Amino acid sequence: TVFVVSFMTAGVMTLSQSVGVIMGANVGSTVTAHFLSFNLSDYALLHIAIGFFMTFTAKRERVKYYGMMLMGLGLVFFGMGIMSEAMKPLRTYEPFIEFLESMENPMIGVLAGAVFTGLVQSSAATVGIAIAMASEGLLSLPAGIALALGANIGTCVTAMLAALGKPVEAVRAAIVHVLFNVLGVLLWILFIPQLAELAVAVSPQASGLEGQAQAAATVPRQIANANTMFNIINTLVFIGFTGWFAKIAIKLAPSQPEKKDVIIEAKYLHEDAIEAPALALENVRLELGRMCKIIKTILHDVRAAIINKDRKQIDKILSMDHKVNILETSVLEYLSKLRREELTEKQSNDHQALMTAAINLEKLADVIKEDLGEIALHFIEQDHPASEITRNLFQKYYNDVRLSLDDAVKAISENDQLAAEKVINRKADIKRYENELLSRKSSRLGTEEEDYLQTARLEISLMDKLYRIYSHTRGIAKVVLPAAIIEDD
């Protein structure tokens, strides 16, 4: 759901498309119950030992992750074994047996499963306990299915709590989750006996066992199969109504009007994504791309202000720079929080690169606002027009700087080394334009009227500021290039 929310916020996935993913996630999460239904507790310590060894001795990150996964599964199986052993005395405890008998009523079983799951915030825990009780012959199949159905409702509490204070996309995703699960349970609550018969039909039978021993051997697998079939059948039933789910979610959680008392705020920096560093880093890239669009607008407005001699355009530039400063602060604060997470070597490198890019973008915006803005005002005030040759040279210079900014942002946002190389390779052309402009100013100083000196100073100053902008784009581009290329440069 965290991934889906980020994709929707980034505009690469619609809410209707996300409904199918959420339904699929519901099906996929039932695999946990199948793991728990196999009696693997006898081998759990072996899994834990091997996983521990892989996690703490391996040098490769991938091997460490496999070790963590193996050790985690081992701990789950070991815990299930302990839980199952602890429940054996309950076989003869009369109050507990009476409580289990009351769960033969589907409504009570569903309610118990929903409440317990809501409290422990884990549907897997509820289903796991149901399987543990069934493995001791304490729980019948219909009661186990009722608990599993209730767990599907209870887990919605987790989704709703996770959506509190989050963007409207997160709230809508949580609403879709609630609608799907609750409607699915309501659809099946009167057909639990039929679902139990179907689970028995597709599950392996324990030949040679009778009574409680047979139930202990077969019911855990049947509960797991019933839980999966419940979610698969619900998905097949509701998959044709994804548009309706989306419409209901949008109606229940309409878009909030933009805050008029706020200059700007981060759009992609979701706090819940920090727990998934790879996703959080992509969110930072998206926010940097947003910063860049503002900076490109500022750069365009400076040029337009000079050409049109428009002082109001300069005031607009000053206000837009505040937006860049706010976003840069938000990005750095987000990266600071992300740094506290456990990052891989590659993620650490990406973290540093994105931080460098954010700082360079902010400096770049300051150059445009403080230096280019001031020069633009002088150009507006003075009446000496530049020659056509000079205007053409500045146009080429400006276009190369603008293209370098575009490529630098593409390089950092998409980790595109070819785009970064284009930025570096433009240095020769930009230097050539610079030399041509300096040569032209030098040759004309003694032949023009006295006020030309002031114009020449402004034009040379403008050229210097454009080169500073280009230098910052190079600083952004270099963070994604191999060290060998940077050294050659």
Side-chain angles (χ1 to χ4, degrees):
T1 303
V2 170
F3 275 100
V4 164
V5 168
S6 292
F7 291 151
M8 286 193 294
T9 306
V12 297
M13 178 182 277
T14 66
L15 181 60
S16 295
Q17 291 169 334
S18 75
V19 175
V21 179
I22 293 169
M23 289 178 177
N26 260 28
V27 175
S29 64
T30 65
V31 173
T32 309
H34 289 279
F35 277 122
L36 300 177
S37 67
F38 291 99
N39 187 14
L40 299 176
S41 58
D42 292 342
Y43 310 99
L45 291 176
L46 179 62
H47 285 90
I48 295 170
I50 295 173
F52 180 88
F53 180 79
M54 292 171 65
T55 301
F56 292 98
T57 61
K59 294 181 178 179
R60 294 175 58 190
E61 290 288 338
R62 181 173 294 183
V63 177
K64 286 185 178 182
Y65 287 143
Y66 284 135
M68 290 169 67
M69 184 166 62
L70 192 61
M71 184 168 62
L73 285 173
L75 288 168
V76 169
F77 296 140
F78 186 65
M80 286 295 293
I82 293 174
M83 195 188 305
S84 181
E85 285 293 322
M87 286 182 179
K88 283 183 177 178
L90 295 175
R91 290 178 176 180
T92 56
Y93 185 57
E94 198 64 33
F96 185 73
I97 293 172
E98 289 176 3
F99 171 70
L100 292 181
E101 287 175 352
S102 71
M103 283 201 298
E104 295 295 332
N105 182 330
M107 291 299 297
I108 295 177
V110 169
L111 182 62
V115 171
F116 184 77
T117 303
L119 290 173
V120 300
Q121 299 288 292
S122 172
S123 60
T126 303
V127 177
I129 289 172
I131 288 173
M133 289 193 294
S135 67
E136 292 301 321
L138 295 170
L139 195 65
S140 68
L141 178 56
I145 292 175
L147 280 174
L149 295 185
N152 278 272
I153 292 179
T155 194
C156 296
V157 174
T158 308
M160 293 306 294
L161 288 175
L164 290 176
K166 300 296 189 298
V168 69
E169 291 85 359
V171 178
R172 289 171 180 171
I175 289 173
V176 168
H177 191 211
V178 172
L179 288 172
F180 177 63
N181 284 17
V182 172
L183 288 175
V185 171
L186 292 176
L187 184 68
W188 279 100
I189 196 165
L190 298 178
F191 300 99
I192 287 178
Q194 287 75 16
L195 183 58
E197 290 176 6
L198 185 59
V200 170
V202 300
S203 302
Q205 301 299 314
S207 58
L209 296 177
E210 294 181 357
Q212 194 177 57
Q214 186 186 45
T218 58
V219 172
R221 292 291 303 279
Q222 291 165 358
I223 292 174
N225 288 333
N227 191 37
T228 299
M229 287 189 295
F230 158 77
N231 281 285
I232 290 175
I233 295 171
N234 280 349
T235 299
L236 294 175
V237 169
F238 292 129
I239 196 69
F241 300 95
T242 55
W244 289 98
F245 277 101
K247 287 179 181 178
I248 294 171
I250 291 171
K251 192 166 185 177
L252 293 175
S255 298
Q256 298 296 320
E258 291 189 10
K259 298 178 182 177
K260 294 182 179 180
D261 56 343
V262 174
I263 297 174
I264 195 173
E265 57 185 1
K267 181 179 179 181
Y268 301 106
L269 306 181
H270 304 311
E271 295 290 328
D272 50 346
I274 289 178
E275 295 180 8
L279 179 60
L281 289 169
E282 289 305 313
N283 287 347
V284 172
R285 293 183 194 278
L286 289 170
E287 203 65 57
L288 290 179
R290 189 169 171 230
M291 284 176 63
C292 177
K293 288 180 181 178
I294 298 172
I295 292 171
K296 287 194 291 186
T297 302
I298 296 173
L299 188 60
H300 174 270
D301 287 350
V302 169
R303 179 174 175 272
I306 294 174
I307 293 173
N308 301 325
K309 295 186 177 296
D310 186 351
R311 295 182 65 91
K312 291 182 179 179
Q313 200 82 355
I314 303 300
D315 295 333
K316 181 181 176 183
I317 290 166
L318 295 175
S319 65
M320 291 182 72
D321 177 70
H322 296 320
K323 295 180 180 181
V324 176
N325 292 338
I326 291 168
L327 292 182
E328 187 237 8
T329 301
S330 298
V331 166
L332 293 181
E333 288 176 353
Y334 192 76
L335 287 172
S336 175
K337 294 175 183 176
L338 182 58
R339 185 73 262 183
R340 298 168 197 158
E341 299 294 318
E342 188 174 343
L343 306 180
T344 65
E345 184 177 351
K346 181 183 181 304
Q347 288 169 348
S348 295
N349 293 336
D350 288 345
H351 183 281
Q352 182 177 341
L354 293 172
M355 182 180 69
T356 303
I359 293 170
N360 272 294
L361 281 171
E362 196 273 333
K363 288 180 178 178
L364 196 155
D366 284 344
V367 171
I368 297 173
K369 182 199 79 168
E370 296 173 6
D371 298 328
L372 275 187
E374 182 181 348
I375 292 170
L377 285 173
H378 287 303
F379 267 106
I380 290 170
E381 291 167 358
Q382 64 99 25
D383 295 324
H384 197 292
S387 68
E388 186 176 350
I389 295 174
T390 299
R391 285 200 305 271
N392 288 337
L393 280 172
F394 267 115
Q395 182 63 44
K396 292 177 181 177
Y397 202 134
Y398 170 84
N399 284 340
D400 269 18
V401 170
R402 180 180 57 79
L403 290 172
S404 295
L405 178 57
D406 290 345
D407 287 332
V409 173
K410 185 179 180 183
I412 196 65
S413 61
E414 301 177 18
N415 203 26
D416 189 332
Q417 292 187 359
L418 293 177
E421 196 171 24
K422 287 180 183 178
V423 178
I424 302 299
N425 292 340
R426 283 198 185 93
K427 183 177 180 179
D429 287 338
I430 286 177
K431 277 292 184 183
R432 179 164 53 82
Y433 299 143
E434 188 176 289
N435 289 333
E436 287 183 26
L437 282 165
L438 286 171
S439 176
R440 183 166 177 76
K441 298 299 109 179
S442 175
S443 63
R444 293 183 63 189
L445 274 179
T447 60
E448 298 283 347
E449 57 269 26
E450 291 182 8
D451 63 347
Y452 177 73
L453 179 61
Q454 179 64 23
T455 302
R457 282 175 175 167
L458 281 176
E459 290 175 349
I460 291 170
S461 182
L462 175 60
M463 180 181 63
D464 175 64
K465 304 315 175 191
L466 286 173
Y467 189 79
R468 282 183 62 191
I469 293 171
Y470 171 68
S471 295
H472 286 303
T473 65
R474 281 169 59 85
I476 296 169
K478 280 183 176 181
V479 299
V480 303
L481 286 172
I485 295 178
I486 297 173
E487 288 170 5
D488 289 343
D489 178 64

